[in-house]
């Protein structure tokens, strides 16, 4: 299942990052960071005229030996990055999409809270993210 | 092997008990079996205290290894394991002298054990009881030395302190039965293990409990004895266990009190979470606040408006954010009326020190709130609050008035004053402590308003109304009334009523004036009579705006004198209320009208004067504000001009820099 989930702001700083603490978390942070380049590539590859048609789900950003990294961008350039264990072969694209959709919904809920200042760290994700991380483990 | 040491200790202890208590309790004569048992228990308590393998409580460390005292923790544990009620244990503790000397020495301990045996045999707890032959006291507890403190794990909830202790019970807040109270009394033994909770919640909770105890001391019949029993029981333990123990123990006592009172408050609940149940008065208050932000009760408040409003409660932003998450069920960034009530209630509870729940309690769900409280019916709710304490009856009046005086500038200070000088339930009172820090501009005025004359009150209102108007956007919402010993709320009520005539003229279409408010139940009058009178009254009142407002003025204007006088006026109030609507409408149904017209006329003339002065003050305030407005406009123009000048300069300079 997802071993790391991160929400990156438009300016490419993390709003929320959480990983299953089984391993060195720094490694996941680094992977997420490097994946940002790929995300930017994919976004710019679309061309500025296609912003409306750009699909939010970016798909597999890059695979590594143990992990696969998936990306998702919102219309406000907030990025969701998810690191998934490669050994979990049963995980299909649709499931990843649905997970991103859930993330996006929770993110909008957090945005709706008037006490949340855009650009702050997000505290409210934990429940949902925990459920995602433990879901298929 | 412990027996040998115990026997040696028993001999020494028996000698000490027999010989050493000159001024203490009378010497004990213990039988052989008793001696052995008691010394064993004492050694266990002292041993667990002094020699525990690191799991002893902090106060145990304070017990010097050389002295033979049993720490309060294991002793208390032991006593509770005897399954005697708390009062009995408290008596025993007192009698055995531990409270006096501050610790459980062998003498005290043995005497206490003997008393426990006596109590368990059904004998009264007296010094004389221990003189006779008694069976050994029975204790239900596990026999592990190291874990003696923990006793029955099912009852004592681990290392948590009072707040989390409560959350470890079934729901976040459990109904406090007597068994629970006993369990509560056990938890103080756990408190030294965990760090005491932070002090601000402690201090907040204490006023809550004090407010409750003050308010409810007359009303509650079932709880005074256990409370007193518990508190002294807490204190000897506190004195013997020292600092870390006392604070949480007092917490405990106050929490127990508060929760029991809460239970009394909301006895009709089918849900276990009483603190999350919104009472009638609270509901009305919240609805009025909602209306102040958004006149249409069926639409919603936008996020930014709600944010500004709730920020005034001075809770931290993360907490407010969390409360919002809980209460905005549909996550649309806006609060409907039930959502708003839920959020407000959570804020109120948080202010009073209750920790926030993990999820929205069932009584705060929007569906529940909407079903439980349809469009507020003032009549019924006023009657519901009839049997509540005095302040509660005032609340509907306040709310009625607040309802109509929502947007009016002059009325802004009015609710503040109402609220600050009103006697209310402690739950709302603590909001006062927190919220009206912003009402700091009114420090003098609430005192003024507490005076019983209408005139000084209107003066104070006008002086503050300017500041109020200036800080209109930032003023806190009218906090719920705070309980005060002086029943001076009536004065502010009157003033509200006094101000009201100016309001309906401007917004006649907005809301009907509140119906005539029921006078408080007076012991001299039968409640049924007053209720009967009020019923026709109230039903007629909404239909007669003009007639009822003078009636209300009469009612409320007679409030300013102190309570005894109010009682006297009550028949007059009722009389006037009955007379005026009845004269205006069809024949009255009431037969208990007592006082004649002269008092009515006197009151109405007084009121007229008060109204006129109030009008004058309002006009002055208006003039001042208009002047202020023009001055500010002037300043704005000047600033604009400056800006234009600066921009010109910039333009001139720019070609230079570009080059």
């Amino acid at each position: 299942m997802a071993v790391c989930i991160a929400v990156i702001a438009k300016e490419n700083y993390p709003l929320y990052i959480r990983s299953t603490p089984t391993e060195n978390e720094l490694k996941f942070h680094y992977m997420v960071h490097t994946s940002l380049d790929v995300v930017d590539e994919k976004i710019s590859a679309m061309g500025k005229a296609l912003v409306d048609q750009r699909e939010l789900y970016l798909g597999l950003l890059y695979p590594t030996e143990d992990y696969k990294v998936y990306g998702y961008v919102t219309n406000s350039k907030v990025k969701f990055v998810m690191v998934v264990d490669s050994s979990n072969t049963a995980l299909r694209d649709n499931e990843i999409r649905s997970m991103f959709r859930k993330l996006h919904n929770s993110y909008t809920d957090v945005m709706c809270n008037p006490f949340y200042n855009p650009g702050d760290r997000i505290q409210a994700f934990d429940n949902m993210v925990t459920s995602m991380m433990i879901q298929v483990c | 092997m412990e027996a040998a040491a115990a026997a040696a200790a028993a001999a020494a202890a028996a000698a000490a008990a027999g010989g050493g208590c000159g001024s203490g309790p009378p010497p004990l004569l213990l039988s052989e079996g008793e001696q052995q048992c008691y010394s064993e228990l004492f050694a266990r308590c002292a041993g667990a205290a002094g020699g525990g393998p690191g799991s002893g409580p902090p106060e145990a460390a304070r017990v010097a290894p050389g002295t033979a005292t049993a720490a309060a923790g294991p002793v208390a544990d032991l006593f509770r394991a005897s399954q005697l009620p708390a009062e009995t244990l408290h008596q025993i503790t007192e009698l055995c002298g531990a409270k006096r000397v501050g610790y459980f020495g062998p003498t005290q301990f043995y005497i206490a054990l003997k008393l426990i045996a006596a109590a368990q045999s059904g004998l009264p707890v007296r010094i004389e009881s221990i003189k006779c032959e008694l069976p050994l006291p029975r204790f239900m507890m596990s026999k592990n030395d190291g874990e003696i403190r923990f006793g029955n794990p099912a009852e004592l909830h681990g290392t948590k302190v009072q707040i989390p202790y409560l959350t470890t019970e079934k729901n976040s807040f459990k109904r406090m039965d007597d068994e629970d109270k006993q369990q509560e009394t056990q938890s103080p033994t756990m408190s030294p293990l965990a760090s005491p909770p932070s002090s601000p919640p402690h201090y907040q909770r204490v006023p809550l409990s004090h407010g409750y105890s003050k308010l409810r001391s007359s009303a509650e019949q079932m709880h005074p004895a256990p409370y007193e029993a518990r508190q002294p029981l807490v204190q000897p333990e506190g004195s013997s266990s020292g600092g870390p123990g006392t604070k949480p123990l007092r917490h405990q006592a106050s929490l127990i009190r508060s929760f029991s009172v809460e239970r009394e408050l909301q006895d009709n609940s089918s849900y276990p979470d009483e603190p999350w149940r919104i009472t009638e008065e609270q509901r009305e208050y919240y609805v009025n606040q909602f209306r102040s932000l958004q006149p249409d009760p069926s639409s919603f408040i936008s996020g930014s408006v709600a944010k500004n409003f709730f920020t005034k409660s001075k809770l931290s932003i993360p907490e407010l954010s969390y409360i919002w998450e809980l209460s905005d069920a549909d996550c649309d960034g806006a609060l409907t009326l039930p959502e708003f009530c839920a959020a407000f209630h959570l804020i109120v509870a948080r202010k009073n020190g209750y920790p926030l729940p993990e999820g929205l309690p069932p009584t705060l769900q929007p569906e529940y709130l909407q079903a439980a409280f349809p469009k507020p019916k003032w009549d019924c709710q006023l009657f519901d609050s009839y049997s509540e304490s005095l302040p509660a009856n005032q609340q509907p009046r306040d709310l009625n008035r607040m309802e109509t005086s929502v947007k009016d500038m002059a009325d802004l200070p009015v609710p503040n004053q109402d609220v600050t000088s009103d006697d209310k339930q402690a739950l709302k009172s603590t909001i006062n402590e927190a919220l009206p820090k912003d009402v700091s501009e009114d420090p003098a005025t609430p005192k003024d308003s507490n005076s019983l004359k209408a005139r000084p009150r209107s003066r104070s209102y006008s002086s503050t109304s300017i500041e109020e108007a200036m800080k209109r956007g930032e003023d806190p919402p009218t906090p719920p009334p705070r309980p005060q010993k002086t029943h001076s709320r009536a004065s502010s009520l009157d003033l509200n009523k006094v101000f009201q005539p100016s309001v309906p003229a401007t917004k006649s279409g907005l809301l009907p004036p509140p119906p005539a408010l029921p006078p408080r139940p007076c012991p001299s009058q039968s409640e049924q009579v007053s209720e009967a009178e009020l019923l026709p009254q109230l039903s007629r009142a909404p239909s007669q705006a003009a007639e009822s407002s003078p009636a209300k003025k009469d009612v409320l204007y007679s409030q300013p004198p102190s309570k005894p006088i109010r009682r006297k006026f009550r028949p007059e109030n009722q009389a006037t209320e009955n007379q005026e609507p009845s004269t205006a409408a069809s024949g009255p149904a009431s037969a208990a009208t007592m006082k004649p017209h002269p008092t009515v006329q006197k009151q109405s003339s007084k009121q007229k004067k008060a109204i006129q002065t109030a009008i004058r003050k309002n006009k002055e305030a208006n003039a001042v504000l208009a002047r202020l407005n023009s001055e500010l406009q002037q300043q704005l123009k000047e600033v604009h001009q400056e800006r234009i000048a600066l921009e010109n300069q910039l333009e001139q300079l720019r070609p230079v820099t570009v080059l």
Side-chain angles (χ1 to χ4, degrees), chain A residues 109 112-115 117 124, chain B residues 303 307 321 324-325 331 333:
Chain A
D109 289 344
C112 280
N113 189 334
F115 297 103
N117 298 319
Chain B
K307 175 180 178 179
S321 176
W324 177 280
E325 277 170 50
C331 290

Side-chain angles (χ1 to χ4, degrees), chain A residues 50-121:
Chain A
L50 301 174
V51 149
D52 295 337
Q53 301 170 18
R54 174 163 52 85
E55 172 140 334
L56 302 180
Y57 176 67
L58 301 175
L60 182 67
L61 297 178
Y62 71 93
T64 61
E65 204 175 291
D66 301 322
Y67 300 102
K68 296 191 195 128
V69 183
Y70 291 89
Y72 181 98
V73 186
T74 67
N75 282 325
S76 56
K77 297 283 176 60
V78 172
K79 308 162 185 78
F80 298 103
V81 175
M82 191 185 321
V83 180
V84 172
D85 206 335
S86 284
S87 54
N88 206 335
T89 52
L91 212 54
R92 294 203 330 253
D93 206 45
N94 281 339
E95 293 174 19
I96 309 272
R97 281 181 193 261
S98 69
M99 281 163 65
F100 273 127
R101 210 171 302 127
K102 273 198 287 184
L103 268 176
H104 195 173
N105 287 334
S106 322
Y107 179 73
T108 50
D109 289 344
V110 169
M111 283 295 121
C112 280
N113 189 334
F115 297 103
Y116 171 77
N117 298 319
D120 288 352
R121 303 202 67 117

Side-chain angles (χ1 to χ4, degrees), chain B residues 349-530:
Chain B
R350 185 74 188 107
K351 278 281 171 204
N352 289 328
Y354 298 142
L356 290 175
E358 297 294 321
L360 197 61
T363 50
L364 289 182
Q365 302 275 353
E367 311 80 33
Y368 175 84
L369 283 177
Q370 251 174 351
F373 297 99
K375 191 80 172 98
K377 293 191 173 56
W378 297 105
D379 316 351
C380 312
Q381 282 167 347
L382 284 171
F383 280 109
D384 287 347
S385 62
Y386 214 77
S387 53
E388 297 260 323
S389 62
L390 225 45
N393 283 331
Q394 295 291 344
Q395 175 79 356
R397 273 169 260 184
D398 288 341
L399 295 177
N400 287 335
R401 251 164 294 109
M402 291 196 311
E403 177 190 39
T404 56
S405 59
V406 153
K407 293 271 165 53
D408 195 25
M409 202 166 55
D411 282 309
L412 254 185
V414 166
N416 282 334
Q417 302 232 6
D418 268 346
V419 157
T420 54
S421 59
D422 266 3
D423 241 327
K424 287 300 175 221
Q425 294 163 10
L427 192 61
K428 302 188 188 107
S429 72
T430 52
I431 289 194
N432 252 356
E433 292 160 12
L435 276 176
K437 298 300 184 284
D438 318 19
V439 197
S440 55
E441 73 259 17
D442 296 340
T445 54
K447 303 297 173 284
D448 287 344
S449 72
N450 288 347
S451 72
L452 300 181
K453 300 278 190 280
R455 234 162 270 186
R457 242 176 290 122
S458 53
R459 226 179 285 131
S460 67
Y461 270 139
S462 66
S463 62
T464 57
S465 62
I466 300 165
E467 304 154 76
E468 293 285 355
M470 284 176 46
K471 302 188 191 177
R472 201 170 161 193
E474 290 99 314
D475 273 340
T478 66
R482 141 180 33 217
Q484 287 184 359
K485 280 319 222 180
T486 68
H487 295 274
S488 49
R489 77 192 91 106
S491 54
S492 49
L493 282 178
D494 271 349
L495 197 51
N496 276 338
K497 273 301 167 189
V498 159
F499 270 38
Q500 209 174 22
S502 59
V503 173
T506 54
K507 10 188 235 171
S508 49
L510 189 59
L511 287 159
L517 300 159
R520 250 163 289 107
C522 174
S524 62
Q525 292 175 348
S526 64
E527 287 203 7
Q528 301 87 7
V529 169
S530 49

Side-chain angles (χ1 to χ4, degrees), chain B residues 252-264:
Chain B
Q252 196 63 32
S254 60
L255 272 178
I256 295 166
R257 231 172 294 145
S258 61
F259 283 119
S260 304
V261 176
E262 275 286 354
R263 180 169 64 125
E264 276 187 291

Side-chain angles (χ1 to χ4, degrees), chain B residues 152-207:
Chain B
N152 200 338
E155 294 170 355
L156 306 173
H157 295 265
T159 59
K160 307 237 167 137
V161 202
Q162 287 74 16
I163 307 168
Y165 163 80
L166 297 161
T167 60
T168 55
E169 299 216 85
K170 289 185 197 128
N171 289 317
S172 296
F173 297 95
K174 195 168 157 43
R175 191 187 298 264
M176 301 285 300
D177 296 330
D178 279 324
E179 301 81 43
D180 290 350
K181 282 183 199 146
Q182 284 234 306
Q183 286 187 2
E184 292 281 317
T185 60
Q186 289 174 12
S187 59
T189 61
M190 305 313 302
S191 56
L193 288 180
S195 59
S198 60
S199 37
H202 163 66
Y203 294 132
Q204 272 184 345
R205 220 168 290 122
V206 169

Side-chain angles (χ1 to χ4, degrees), chain B residues 470 627-638:
Chain B
M470 284 176 46
R627 236 179 317 157
L628 193 65
N629 191 18
S630 57
E631 283 172 19
L632 288 170
Q633 293 284 349
Q634 190 66 26
Q635 281 186 7
L636 184 63
K637 275 188 215 140
E638 288 167 13

